[in-house]
Amino acid sequence: AQSVTQPDIHITVSEGASLELRCNYSYGATPYLFWYVQSPGQGLQLLLKYFSGDTLVQGIKGFEAEFKRSQSSFNLRKPSVHWSDAAEYFCAVGARGSYIPTFGRGTSLIVHP
Amino acid sequence: DSGVTQTPKHLITATGQRVTLRCSPRSGDLSVYWYQQSLDQGLQFLIHYYNGEERAKGNILERFSAQQFPDLHSELNLSSLELGDSALYFCASSVESRFQETQYFGPGTRLLVL
């Protein structure tokens, strides 16, 4: 079965600084990978997803993620963080043939002014 | 706003009770998914319905059941509630049930069992 690890429970950055949120997955083949964001009091919103092809994926709100097969990672990046990016971020993995993702435990992003 | 609505927003009840959570998918979406988010277990898939039929089950307890009605709204029934059932329950919808599709999440129902 697939699994996802988000090693950082909390990340604190200053507004305007760059951001990288880590995600490692475990799956025997090439997985489907997702990043979701959950703002306080809101449901999850899909930021980006990777199925195949170009390993650098562009998403909404200026986010991107890079799939690195050799490292079993799918880290989320943003060059300049805005205060409104403060939220919980979830990485998820889906197995080929299944449309139900397995979610990581999430990383809480705190943005200092 | 994702277009998925969930009612109620908050629910406080006692152990042993039964509650019903309601979800209305986006217009045109045939699939509804239910998830539970708790501090202990994180975000877990419970069950998926497609056009009225159950398609997949995840970590759903026997005390929990769901259905999807002809108008495509869905209800999640939780019975014999325990303290550990306190959680945020999300539903999500998508057009079909293919892996390529984006799931759109509702704002959730926060359940507190006292």
Side-chain angles (χ1 to χ4, degrees):
Chain A
Q2 67 269 25
S3 66
V4 180
T5 302
Q6 294 181 247
D8 304 305
I9 298 174
H10 303 282
I11 290 274
T12 301
V13 299
S14 297
E15 191 169 16
S18 63
L19 170 70
E20 183 168 28
L21 301 183
R22 296 184 290 164
C23 172
N24 294 99
Y25 68 88
S26 174
Y27 182 60
T30 301
Y32 305 138
L33 295 160
F34 310 82
W35 273 101
Y36 286 85
V37 61
Q38 182 181 21
S39 298
Q42 304 291 320
L44 278 71
Q45 181 183 22
L46 182 69
L47 287 175
L48 46 80
K49 56 188 176 185
Y50 170 80
F51 294 140
S52 63
D54 192 347
T55 56
L56 186 60
V57 182
Q58 301 297 321
I60 63 171
K61 305 187 181 192
F63 286 93
E64 67 177 27
E66 186 171 12
F67 169 59
K68 292 187 177 179
R69 185 192 307 274
S70 61
Q71 298 175 20
S72 298
S73 69
F74 189 56
N75 294 349
L76 182 71
R77 301 194 294 248
K78 186 169 184 177
S80 178
V81 170
H82 188 261
W83 64 266
S84 60
D85 293 323
E88 190 87 13
Y89 290 80
F90 293 90
C91 181
V93 62
R96 301 262 157 182
S98 168
Y99 48 82
I100 306 298
T102 298
F103 288 86
R105 295 305 298 267
T107 296
S108 178
L109 174 64
I110 301 163
V111 180
H112 280 315
Chain B
D1 185 355
S2 66
V4 178
T5 60
Q6 290 187 248
T7 57
K9 283 192 166 71
H10 303 276
L11 201 46
I12 302 174
T13 188
T15 54
Q17 295 298 305
R18 172 189 170 93
V19 297
T20 297
L21 313 183
R22 181 188 170 104
C23 169
S24 293
R26 294 186 321 153
S27 177
D29 284 0
L30 299 177
S31 273
V32 171
Y33 311 80
W34 285 98
Y35 294 87
Q36 179 195 59
Q37 185 179 35
S38 66
L39 289 175
D40 289 343
Q41 303 291 331
L43 191 62
Q44 292 197 97
F45 165 70
L46 295 178
I47 198 164
H48 167 229
Y49 275 83
Y50 174 77
N51 203 21
E53 293 186 4
E54 181 187 305
R55 281 292 183 91
K57 263 187 177 179
N59 297 323
I60 187 166
L61 299 170
E62 285 190 12
R63 300 183 284 109
F64 295 1
S65 65
Q67 54 184 326
Q68 186 180 26
F69 295 86
D71 67 352
L72 300 176
H73 91 272
S74 178
E75 292 181 358
L76 179 66
N77 300 296
L78 316 176
S79 62
S80 302
L81 285 167
E82 301 175 359
L83 296 178
D85 297 326
S86 296
L88 194 50
Y89 291 84
F90 287 109
C91 84
S93 73
S94 64
V95 177
E96 299 261 346
S97 59
R98 295 169 297 183
F99 66 85
Q100 302 97 321
E101 295 180 82
T102 297
Q103 293 186 21
Y104 294 87
F105 282 75
T109 293
R110 186 171 296 278
L111 173 67
L112 180 59
V113 182
L114 300 175

